[in-house]
Amino acid sequence: MTETYKVVDIQEDMDNPEDLGTKEKFWYRYNNQKWLFKKSRPLTGEHWSEKVAEQLCQQLGIPHAKYELARYQGDIGITSLSIIEDRGKWRMTLGNQLLMMEDSSYPGEKKGRFVRVKEHTVYKVLGILDSAKTHNQPPVWPGLPDSLDAAGVFVGYLLLDAHISNQDRHHENWAILLNGETGEQFLCPSYDHASSLGCTEPDKKRLARLTTKDKGYNVEAYVSKATCALYKSKSDAKPLKTIEAFRLASRQRPKAARYWLEQLKILDKDRIRNILAKVPDEVTTLAAMQFAEKMILENRRGLLCALN
C-alpha cells in the first residue's frame, strides 16, 4: 500500500494575517520556526495541487518552497516553512519591486493588479536577474550545476509552469533574497503554485474532458489554452501561453532550457503516477487525480518535443 502525504493538524494560534494574495492565510510559530498556513478556497484542490507541484519540483531539482497538507479549525489548506529563516539577515524583494527599481513607470504598486500587467515580460524578468548578478539560492540548492545562474534557474521555473499549467507566475510570485550582511543576492526558490493542474474544475467537467472524443474539448485542448502572467511585449493584447513563455526564455537561455528538459525527460510516467498516488483520498477525488495526471503527461509531451 502506498504511503500517503501527511495532513498536519495546526493547533497553534495565528501571529498575524498575511496581506499578500487573495486567499485566507496567516503566520504561526511551531518548534520556534515561522510557518504560513493558506486555506484553500471552497470546492478547489489548491491544497493538493500545491503539494503535487512541490513533489514535481523535488523530482526535477527545481529550488522550491516546501509544503505540507494541513487543516486549521476544520479548514483544509497547505502549510509551509518560511523561506527566510533569519529575518535579521535576509530580506525578500518581490519581482514588482525589482521592476519598479529598474523602471519608475512600471505599474507595480496597483493593489490587486497581478496578472494583466503587460510590462511584465519574459525579457524584463531575465534581464533583471542578469543585472542583479543574482546567485542561485541560499544555501546553494543541492544538485544544481554551477553553470546555471539565476536566469537559468528561472527558465526551470517556467518549465515547471508549463508542466503543471500554472497560470499564476505574476510579478509577486517570484523574488530575490538579499543577504544584508554581505550584499549578495539570490534567486528565491519557486513558490505559490496552487493555481495549477485544473484544481478549480468540478469533477463533472473533468470526467467529460477525459472521456470526450471532441478534440476541441479534451484534456489536450484544455492544457493548450493555459496562459501565464508574463507577456512577450507590452504591446501584446494577451499574455503568453505557459509553454510559449518557456520557449521564449529558451531562446534566450538555450543551455539552461536543455538542462531542464533533460531533467523532465528523466521524470517518467511511473514517477508522476507515484506522486499523485500519495495524495490522500480524504483531500481529493479520483477524477481530480486522473485529470491532473493527463494534464501533466500531455504538458510533458509538448515540452519534450523541443528535444527532438
Side-chain angles (χ1 to χ4, degrees), residues 131-270:
S131 63
K133 300 187 184 302
T134 314
H135 300 286
N136 288 333
Q137 187 263 347
V140 175
W141 198 264
L144 277 180
D146 293 338
S147 59
L148 282 180
D149 58 9
V153 176
F154 191 82
V155 173
Y157 295 2
L158 295 181
L159 176 136
L160 170 71
D161 293 343
H163 190 36
I164 62 176
S165 295
N166 175 33
Q167 304 186 66
D168 206 26
R169 184 71 64 184
H170 59 68
H171 61 199
E172 289 189 5
N173 273 353
W174 61 273
I176 65 170
L177 297 176
L178 173 67
N179 185 322
E181 296 178 356
T182 66
E184 292 179 292
Q185 297 183 108
F186 300 83
L187 178 63
C188 186
S190 188
Y191 58 89
D192 209 350
H193 317 106
S195 298
S196 60
L197 297 175
C199 71
T200 62
E201 295 291 340
D203 276 356
K204 184 176 180 180
K205 286 189 176 181
R206 289 182 177 122
L207 291 169
R209 289 185 182 275
L210 284 166
T211 58
T212 186
K213 294 182 179 179
D214 181 356
K215 292 184 179 180
Y217 190 73
N218 61 16
V219 180
E220 289 85 345
Y222 181 81
V223 299
S224 72
K225 298 173 183 176
T227 58
C228 64
L230 286 155
Y231 285 75
K232 181 178 181 181
S233 167
K234 68 177 183 180
S235 62
D236 290 346
K238 296 180 180 180
L240 291 162
K241 302 288 180 59
T242 53
I243 197 164
E244 290 174 345
F246 171 72
R247 287 172 178 165
L248 188 60
S250 298
R251 291 198 285 272
Q252 299 296 307
R253 293 293 177 129
K255 290 183 179 179
R258 184 80 186 188
Y259 170 79
W260 292 115
L261 286 168
E262 291 291 351
Q263 292 292 100
L264 180 63
K265 189 176 181 180
I266 297 169
L267 180 56
D268 59 20
K269 182 186 293 187
D270 289 340

Side-chain angles (χ1 to χ4, degrees), residues 6 8-13 15 27-36 79 81:
K6 63 183 177 182
V8 178
D9 186 17
I10 298 172
Q11 303 291 335
E12 290 71 26
D13 294 327
D15 281 352
W27 290 101
Y28 66 97
R29 299 198 71 83
Y30 176 71
N31 281 349
N32 204 33
Q33 293 177 305
K34 202 170 183 68
W35 292 75
L36 178 67
T79 188
L81 180 64

Side-chain angles (χ1 to χ4, degrees), residues 62-165:
I62 292 173
H64 61 279
K66 298 179 180 179
Y67 294 93
E68 297 290 353
L69 298 166
R71 278 197 182 88
Y72 177 73
Q73 296 183 348
D75 292 324
I76 191 69
I78 206 84
T79 188
S80 59
L81 180 64
S82 174
I83 291 172
I84 304 176
E85 295 183 11
D86 184 350
R87 291 178 178 261
K89 178 179 179 181
W90 297 98
R91 185 176 78 247
M92 178 185 286
T93 306
L94 300 175
N96 63 324
Q97 297 169 314
L98 294 165
L99 289 161
M100 285 189 292
M101 291 177 199
E102 179 77 11
D103 179 3
S104 60
S105 68
Y106 184 83
E109 289 186 323
K110 294 186 178 180
K111 188 173 179 60
R113 187 181 175 190
F114 301 116
V115 179
R116 299 290 176 178
V117 181
K118 295 182 179 182
E119 294 84 353
H120 188 227
T121 67
V122 171
Y123 298 118
K124 277 194 173 183
V125 173
L126 295 180
I128 286 288
L129 295 176
D130 277 340
S131 63
K133 300 187 184 302
T134 314
H135 300 286
N136 288 333
Q137 187 263 347
V140 175
W141 198 264
L144 277 180
D146 293 338
S147 59
L148 282 180
D149 58 9
V153 176
F154 191 82
V155 173
Y157 295 2
L158 295 181
L159 176 136
L160 170 71
D161 293 343
H163 190 36
I164 62 176
S165 295

